[in-house]
Amino acid sequence: MTVMATKFTPEVLLSAPRRSAAVPNGSGTLALFTVSTYSFESHSRTAAIKVLDIKTGNSTTLYEDQAYSEPTWLSDSQFFLVKSGDKGSSHLLVSDATQPGSEPRQIKTFDGSISNLKVTPLSDDTVALVVSAPTTPSGELHNPSREPKSYTTGKAYSDLFVRHWDTYSTKNKPSLWYGALKKASRDMWNFASPNGGLVNALKGTKLVSPVGPFGGTGDFDISKGGLVFVASDPELNPAIYTKTDVYYVPLKTFTEEKPPAPQQVKTGHLQGYSGSPVFSHSGQSVAFKRMRHRQYESDKWRLMLIPDVADLANVQEFYKTDDGEGAWDQRPETVVWSHDDKELFVTAEDKARTLLYRLPSTPLEATKLPEPVATGHGSVGDVFNLSPRSNQLLATSSSLVDSSTYSVVDPDANSAVTLSSASKAGKTFGLSESQVSSIWFQGAGDYQVHALVMKPSGFDPAKKYPLAFLIHGGPQGAWGESWSTRWNPAVFAEQGYVVVAANPTGSTGYGQAFTDAIATQWGGRPYEDLVRCFEHLESSVPYVDTDRAVALGASYGGYMVNWIQGHALGRRFKALVCHDGLFSTMGSWSTEELFFTIHDMGGTLWGNRAGYERWDPAAFTGEWATPMLIVHSELDYRLPVTEGLAAFNVLQARGVDSRILIFPDENHWVIKPENSLVWHKEVLGWINKYVGLDTTGLAGDTEQLVV
């Protein structure tokens, strides 16, 4: 954005540039990133690929073409691009970051859609390439445009996982494809494999990678000696079990027409999700993470090491303890090797922030718990090595006031220097760090609970402000000091609210025991924590007007809004907003990932019916009385739209002021810009009306009311 915003409105949020992580080249001099924007005037999106000069912090636009994606470094100046083609095809291109706007050279066209590129050098003139692509049961690239025309829409299934997230399951699954490219000239590369293209690494197996619905480049890695990846256990149904394993495929040239069979990495009692396999720079070792329980998606990640891929039986766990709990009570996410392979840099959530930690790269040397490295405000996202001549890192982060920051992190000096800020540390949006604070309060038991607080710009502590009480989803999740384009606290604060975003029992980042404690307690400890939060605000925070309070939540937060509606806390709010919330736990088996319900409800519906009935919001609908907005989407297969319709029907039948907003083309998230703007106007208009704030231009404005 080139114009400073006078007020941070939904339009400003949704039209602001959205930057990807910045990925440096091998020498640490340049970094590639993408930027997308949306215009509500032209109702169109723009996309650009840019290069950042790491020395100066200046960036240059290389291309403005929505057909281009996946910029991936090939050398210090050259990079690959994928261009979407006609009739489901895709093109692999090569370009030069030092020649903005130059016409990319085409390497090959594929009869299918490739994505998630990863590249590693094999020699001075040869590189290995791995991509993912939708693949047919016979192991070929899948192109939907090549399928025969069907005259029916019927879908018949005999197994679980009929649908997942927002799509119905099909016989075509993602697979990993590899190849080697040899330099023919400075700007031309040719495939070196006998077939002149890519080879399906998983052909003839039952393995699927990346793992849906959000799997990507983090699900695999490559080295000079092979491919490592994560895939679900083919002998277990993924609707019931979370077990995914790490597999290794040794490759000598990446031109092998028939790849060796994937070798499974076994981890003993750890039988849950696997993730983030990363080769050391030498290619000899692999670090990855693993969960223990195979029906629990929010178990604690354990950091793992394969010291030598030649011996997959030797797998070591960092901070292992005799009781199996692990000494480090954090959940590692991103894993990066230092250039000399002697250290690991790991991101992990801690008290509403994602921090960067440094530790030795072998469990035997990791005798002390890791300490965080200074990275600046907010939360760290992606991290990459810079020059091999230094131990510095390039980190992408964000905060509640800054949408994207690129920083050079120096672990040895324990310092970080900002190179580029998309929102100029919030100034572009009219926001500042002074608006952000936090509180701790007594929870339902012998523990303290943390909440983030965001105040309006121009905040006056002598005044009272209405309360926007935000309840997060998950439920094993947390409100964090990071940017969001969906539930952004600053949007509510700039309407005139003090926003309080509590992290009650079940939240991540406060120790695994605190996260685990929500299981079979959905309407218990978390609800009591929220009651204590409200009481703390009422008694101890004078600038919050609890007589003008509203509560809002999505997913589990939507469930909690329904639960609050039927209990005493519900009478303390002027209005409620429930987005994609569960109306009845008795209907929770209509979801797709059944392992989640089985774990959190303490068993199956027939094996523990009382557990489901205990925390059922529908059992308390006789108490529903607070005005409520329901938002739900028809492509939300996690929480079907009937949950929202049932809640709305109850409110209407009881004569409670209520409204429902339905999106036929959205899933669990409302992410299309025009739909998201409607969402914001409906939500803000609804709550503003009940606390006496301005509704001009919102759904509460009679000129804007369309239904």
Side-chain angles (χ1 to χ4, degrees):
M1 296 179 65
T2 57
V3 179
M4 298 293 183
T6 56
K7 181 180 179 181
F8 187 59
T9 64
E11 289 89 343
V12 172
L13 168 69
L14 299 172
S15 60
R18 304 185 188 188
R19 304 197 306 185
S20 70
V23 183
N25 60 9
S27 64
T29 57
L30 302 174
L32 291 168
F33 66 98
T34 62
V35 182
S36 66
T37 59
Y38 188 84
S39 169
F40 287 103
E41 294 181 357
S42 63
H43 305 287
S44 62
R45 188 188 302 273
T46 62
I49 295 174
K50 297 195 173 189
V51 63
L52 175 73
D53 186 316
I54 293 176
K55 184 177 181 179
T56 66
N58 297 325
S59 60
T60 303
T61 299
L62 298 176
Y63 299 104
E64 291 182 300
D65 190 331
Q66 293 191 66
Y68 290 166
S69 64
E70 305 277 342
T72 305
W73 286 112
L74 178 58
S75 66
D76 264 358
S77 60
Q78 290 185 311
F79 63 97
F80 283 138
L81 285 173
V82 173
K83 181 180 180 180
S84 55
D86 297 331
K87 298 181 179 180
S89 66
S90 55
H91 309 279
L92 182 64
L93 314 175
V94 64
S95 187
D96 194 317
T98 64
Q99 300 179 24
S102 61
E103 186 70 21
R105 294 285 299 270
Q106 179 165 307
I107 297 174
K108 190 173 182 63
T109 297
F110 298 97
D111 191 24
S113 177
I114 64 171
S115 61
N116 296 315
L117 277 65
K118 278 198 173 182
V119 176
T120 196
L122 298 178
S123 65
D124 291 341
D125 63 351
T126 307
V127 298
L129 169 72
V130 174
V131 303
S132 68
T135 305
T136 67
S138 62
E140 307 304 316
L141 284 176
H142 172 245
N143 188 332
S145 68
R146 307 298 183 202
E147 292 184 346
K149 182 179 179 180
S150 175
Y151 295 92
T152 179
T153 58
K155 301 176 187 294
Y157 296 87
S158 300
D159 296 295
L160 284 173
F161 250 13
V162 169
R163 54 189 193 177
H164 195 194
W165 190 247
D166 58 5
T167 58
Y168 276 83
S169 297
T170 73
K171 60 184 179 180
N172 305 301
K173 307 295 182 182
S175 190
L176 298 174
W177 296 70
Y178 66 82
L181 292 104
K182 193 174 183 63
K183 183 186 289 187
S185 62
R186 183 185 182 281
D187 59 353
M188 195 60 209
W189 295 74
N190 297 320
F191 274 94
S193 54
N195 68 359
L198 297 169
V199 176
N200 182 358
L202 309 185
K203 187 173 184 178
T205 73
K206 297 179 181 179
L207 301 175
V208 175
S209 187
V211 179
F214 307 118
T217 55
D219 279 0
F220 66 94
D221 199 19
I222 54 175
S223 73
K224 290 183 178 181
L227 164 68
V228 64
F229 64 93
V230 171
S232 296
D233 187 329
E235 303 304 318
L236 298 175
N237 193 292
I240 299 290
Y241 297 98
T242 59
K243 185 173 183 284
T244 59
D245 295 300
V246 172
Y247 294 85
Y248 173 61
V249 178
L251 296 168
K252 294 181 179 179
T253 64
F254 283 81
T255 60
E256 292 89 341
E257 291 188 78
K258 184 176 181 181
Q263 303 171 27
Q264 183 182 344
V265 177
K266 297 186 178 181
T267 56
H269 72 291
L270 302 178
Q271 293 287 302
Y273 276 136
S274 297
S276 304
V278 184
F279 277 108
S280 61
H281 290 90
S282 70
Q284 181 180 17
S285 304
V286 174
F288 66 101
K289 57 188 185 181
R290 184 91 202 231
M291 291 184 182
R292 177 168 51 177
H293 301 293
R294 62 180 188 170
Q295 280 189 312
Y296 186 20
E297 66 176 2
S298 298
D299 197 6
K300 183 172 71 174
W301 289 110
R302 319 300 175 92
L303 189 60
M304 312 293 292
L305 176 73
I306 305 170
D308 189 342
V309 290
D311 181 12
L312 297 182
N314 181 15
V315 182
Q316 301 173 11
E317 180 182 347
F318 286 81
Y319 307 111
K320 186 177 181 180
T321 56
D322 291 340
D323 62 4
E325 296 300 322
W328 192 31
D329 203 14
Q330 305 290 80
R331 298 160 54 88
E333 292 294 337
T334 302
V335 181
V336 176
W337 290 82
S338 64
H339 270 296
D340 60 9
D341 288 341
K342 293 181 179 180
E343 293 182 306
L344 295 177
F345 296 99
V346 180
T347 63
E349 194 177 5
D350 181 67
K351 301 178 182 64
R353 292 184 63 200
T354 299
L355 305 179
L356 180 65
Y357 294 86
R358 178 185 192 180
L359 63 149
S361 62
T362 63
L364 289 177
E365 295 180 13
T367 56
K368 296 180 180 179
L369 296 183
E371 294 289 334
V373 175
T375 55
H377 292 293
S379 294
V380 178
D382 293 275
V383 180
F384 299 93
N385 291 123
L386 279 177
S387 168
R389 296 185 299 275
S390 74
N391 201 30
Q392 293 179 331
L393 305 163
L394 181 62
T396 300
S397 60
S398 70
S399 70
L400 286 172
V401 301
D402 200 341
S403 59
S404 171
T405 301
Y406 301 147
S407 301
V408 173
V409 176
D410 188 335
D412 295 332
N414 198 29
S415 64
V417 177
T418 298
L419 288 177
S420 173
S421 169
S423 50
K424 297 180 176 63
K427 293 179 181 179
T428 301
F429 300 138
L431 305 174
S432 71
E433 285 289 343
S434 64
Q435 294 176 246
V436 181
S437 59
S438 64
I439 58 174
W440 289 86
F441 58 91
Q442 186 68 41
D446 186 21
Y447 55 87
Q448 294 284 303
V449 178
H450 184 222
L452 293 173
V453 178
M454 189 152 197
K455 308 177 188 72
S457 55
F459 170 76
D460 182 350
K463 295 181 179 180
K464 277 185 171 287
Y465 297 85
L467 168 65
F469 198 69
L470 302 187
I471 308 169
H472 69 68
Q476 295 89 356
W479 296 113
E481 290 191 50
S482 59
W483 192 256
S484 172
T485 54
R486 291 181 289 115
W487 286 82
N488 191 307
V491 165
F492 297 93
E494 294 307 277
Q495 292 292 312
Y497 293 93
V498 167
V499 181
V500 176
N503 286 328
T505 296
S507 300
T508 53
Y510 302 89
Q512 192 61 35
F514 192 75
T515 302
D516 294 343
I518 195 172
T520 72
Q521 279 287 315
W522 269 33
R525 269 183 56 172
Y527 171 76
E528 295 300 330
D529 288 346
L530 295 174
V531 171
R532 302 296 190 280
C533 183
F534 192 92
E535 292 173 346
H536 174 82
L537 296 169
E538 187 174 39
S539 64
S540 304
V541 186
Y543 54 80
V544 172
D545 186 354
T546 53
D547 290 330
R548 290 195 300 153
V550 295
L552 312 88
S555 194
Y556 171 80
Y559 160 89
M560 181 52 72
V561 167
N562 287 337
W563 183 261
I564 285 171
Q565 175 71 280
H567 291 78
L569 185 57
R571 307 293 76 78
R572 303 302 309 274
F573 295 108
K574 293 294 186 183
L576 301 170
V577 177
C578 172
H579 177 121
D580 287 6
L582 184 64
F583 170 71
S584 174
T585 52
M586 302 308 293
S588 59
W589 272 64
S590 60
T591 192
E592 13 84 287
E593 292 182 346
L594 292 171
F595 56 76
F596 171 77
T597 299
I598 292 170
H599 177 271
D600 273 40
M601 291 295 121
T604 62
L605 185 59
W606 56 92
N608 184 29
R609 187 176 183 86
Y612 286 77
E613 292 175 338
R614 184 182 183 189
W615 307 119
D616 186 5
F620 301 92
T621 49
E623 304 298 322
W624 286 26
T626 300
M628 189 153 136
L629 170 67
I630 305 289
V631 183
H632 224 104
S633 300
E634 292 188 8
L635 295 182
D636 186 356
Y637 298 157
R638 188 140 299 185
L639 285 157
V641 68
T642 48
E643 296 296 306
L645 289 166
F648 179 68
N649 291 347
V650 166
L651 292 163
Q652 287 284 299
R654 287 183 54 77
V656 179
D657 193 12
S658 51
R659 183 172 171 85
I660 189 166
L661 172 64
I662 295 176
F663 292 101
D665 56 345
E666 297 282 4
N667 54 36
H668 201 52
W669 304 328
V670 177
I671 53 179
K672 296 180 179 178
E674 301 282 355
N675 287 345
S676 185
L677 183 58
V678 170
W679 183 96
H680 279 88
K681 288 188 173 184
E682 287 281 350
V683 168
L684 295 175
W686 181 261
I687 60 177
N688 286 7
K689 177 176 67 173
Y690 288 98
V691 300
L693 292 178
D694 186 17
T695 60
T696 302
L698 303 174
D701 185 348
T702 54
E703 294 182 0
Q704 297 289 325
L705 196 61
V706 295
V707 178

